[in-house]
Every structure is written in structure tokens, then in C-alpha cells.
Amino acid sequence: WNIFSIIPPVAFIIIFLLLVVFNVSKRNVLGLPFVVLTLSLVLVNTDLNFPKIYGSKDASGIELTIFNWNTQFWETNNLNDFYQYLKIQNADIYQFQEHIEIDADGSNFVINDLKSLEGEFKDYQIVGKGELLIFSKYPIIKKYFDHSSYYMRNDIEIDGKIVSFYNVHVPVQIVPSYITNPIKFMNDIEYRFYWREEILNSLLNDIKNNKNLFYVSGDFNTTKSMREMNDLLSLTNDSFRYSSTL
């Protein structure tokens, strides 16, 4: 099933809409109700949000601006414009994934530029762990460096309360370059399935044993349609539900 995780959720909607059109054109009175019912189930299990129809929940409490971004390799060629773009966001907390660079032979390496970033973003505390990076205007009380290398936890004091911020990057499900070797491709998919499961279970265990308020963001390389996120979503309030974005 991992391979289907790369399909955008809207594709599932399009497929079912085409089935509706097909059944209407064929006047299939038996097939149409089934397709419509199935479509409603698909809508519930996608990342699509319908605030204009159902209305978004009103969030309460202190207002924070949090900016999460997988940069898909850190910008190093045009730093001035890159930094200016980040500053324009004026976020209280930034969480980044892929604070890395690629060298001539195609391998990745973590960038050692924390001192430079601290000089550029003087109003923020900055913590890096591997490819994961956080900027915070609020004091970081405790840093956790002994957890999984695929997520980073920092406890931050906000309005007198400690909030744990989790910055997550789960590996992709497939390596497209392996597709020319079907056996290697399928073995790698199986390996990545259990690898991803282990990472998500580690994150879930951490959250369940954490007494603090918490916030989770990152790049999970999946969609709600694949249901990998169900256990995590059951412990959280999805911020997307508060959004005015479809």
C-alpha cells in the first residue's frame, strides 16, 4: 500500500467523480447510489477541508504563528533573498526539515551554519539536530538529542506553560530509481514500510509519555487517505480543521 501514499488525495475524488459521471451517463440506477456512498467515505478520509460548507472550529488561547517547511535542501546560493523570505513570515516558531546540502557525488550532508543563523536571526533561539532545525522567539527550556533521528523534541516555555514541539521528517515510501530493478524495488518498499512504522510508533510513545502540552509538525510523506496518521490524529487536534484553506 505504500506506493499509493504518493498519490495526491484529490486524485481519489476525481476518480470517484468520473465514476459518478459514468453511471449517470449509463443511467445505472444501482451503481450510482453505491458510488455516491463510497465517495462520501472517501471525502472523510482525505486531507481536503471544507470550511465554507461546515465551518472551521474556533481556536482559543494564546495566538502563535508557527511556520513549518521542508526546504528540500537548504538554500545556499542566494542566502540574502532566502533569509528575507523567512523573516517576512514573522513567525514565533519556525520548524524546518532538510537543513542539508547535496555535494557533487549526490550525497547529502548536514550544514554546519548555526552560528551564522544565530547572527542573522538574533531574536530567536536556534537548535539543530541533524537535518532538523527550530527557531523560537520563546525560551527553549529543554532540548532532547537522544530521541529518534527522524524527529526532534524541544520543550518551550510559552505564557508560563511548557509546550513540547515535535519536528518530524518521516522518510519517503519509495525510491523511484529502484523501479528498473523490480525485486530491489519491492524489497525496499517492504523495508520502508516497517522503517516508517517504527518511526511513527516511537513518536507516538514519546507523546503518550509526555505530560506537557505539545505541538507536532513536519513532513510525514503521507496523506490521511493512507490512514498511517490515524493514531497520531487521535491524540491531537489537527490544525488544518481550523484553517480557511480547502
Side-chain angles (χ1 to χ4, degrees):
W1 291 104
N2 267 7
I3 198 166
F4 294 104
S5 295
I6 64 175
I7 300 174
V10 69
F12 295 107
I13 307 301
I14 292 172
I15 290 169
F16 279 92
L17 289 177
L18 290 174
L19 287 172
V20 169
V21 172
F22 175 78
N23 279 277
V24 169
S25 66
K26 296 296 184 180
R27 298 182 180 179
N28 185 352
V29 294
L30 295 178
L32 183 60
F34 174 77
V35 172
V36 172
L37 175 62
T38 308
L39 176 61
S40 66
L41 295 175
V42 171
L43 287 172
V44 172
N45 289 286
T46 68
D47 295 301
L48 295 176
N49 192 39
F50 298 95
K52 305 298 183 190
I53 301 173
Y54 302 111
S56 296
K57 283 192 164 186
D58 293 326
S60 59
I62 187 170
E63 186 173 305
L64 292 176
T65 300
I66 302 170
F67 182 86
N68 181 88
W69 188 20
N70 180 336
T71 60
Q72 295 186 345
F73 303 110
W74 198 252
E75 176 62 56
T76 56
N77 296 322
N78 195 353
L79 280 177
N80 288 335
D81 287 350
F82 180 58
Y83 289 159
Q84 186 59 30
Y85 173 76
L86 296 181
K87 290 173 181 177
I88 288 172
Q89 311 310 314
N90 195 29
D92 297 296
I93 294 171
Y94 295 81
Q95 296 208 124
F96 300 103
Q97 302 83 48
E98 294 199 18
H99 178 231
I100 54 179
E101 198 172 353
I102 189 166
D103 60 19
D105 67 359
S107 58
N108 305 329
F109 61 93
V110 175
I111 305 170
N112 184 19
D113 63 349
L114 293 187
K115 290 295 182 185
S116 174
L117 290 171
E118 288 168 354
E120 190 69 33
F121 296 87
K122 294 184 174 66
D123 295 332
Y124 294 85
Q125 276 188 261
I126 298 177
V127 176
K129 175 188 173 186
E131 56 142 322
L132 304 172
L133 194 63
I134 184 171
F135 299 178
S136 175
K137 282 185 177 178
Y138 292 87
I140 298 175
I141 304 302
K142 189 171 182 180
K143 310 161 191 174
Y144 294 79
F145 293 104
D146 56 343
H147 288 53
S148 166
S149 59
Y150 296 96
Y151 69 86
M152 174 171 66
R153 172 182 163 185
N154 288 281
D155 290 351
I156 299 175
E157 185 176 356
I158 301 173
D159 198 28
K161 296 179 180 178
I162 304 300
V163 183
S164 298
F165 279 77
Y166 292 89
N167 183 359
V168 185
H169 189 194
V170 182
V172 295
Q173 300 92 337
I174 66 170
V175 178
S177 61
Y178 290 173
I179 202 164
T180 55
N181 185 334
I183 294 176
K184 183 177 182 180
F185 182 68
M186 295 307 296
N187 286 339
D188 185 66
I189 286 179
E190 182 181 19
Y191 167 74
R192 286 173 179 273
F193 173 83
Y194 292 109
W195 184 21
R196 289 168 54 85
E197 186 176 58
E198 181 181 350
I199 293 166
L200 289 170
N201 286 338
S202 176
L203 174 64
L204 284 168
N205 288 333
D206 192 311
I207 291 172
K208 288 176 181 177
N209 291 315
N210 188 351
K211 305 287 187 194
N212 301 330
L213 299 170
F214 63 90
Y215 179 89
V216 184
S217 69
D219 181 359
F220 289 84
N221 276 305
T222 191
T223 67
K224 193 190 296 182
S225 307
M226 300 312 297
R227 307 184 72 81
E228 288 181 291
M229 302 287 288
N230 280 10
D231 289 340
L232 179 60
L233 291 171
S234 71
L235 300 174
T236 60
N237 293 315
D238 190 353
S239 59
F240 197 46
R241 293 165 58 195
Y242 299 93
S243 170
S244 60
T245 303
L246 181 68

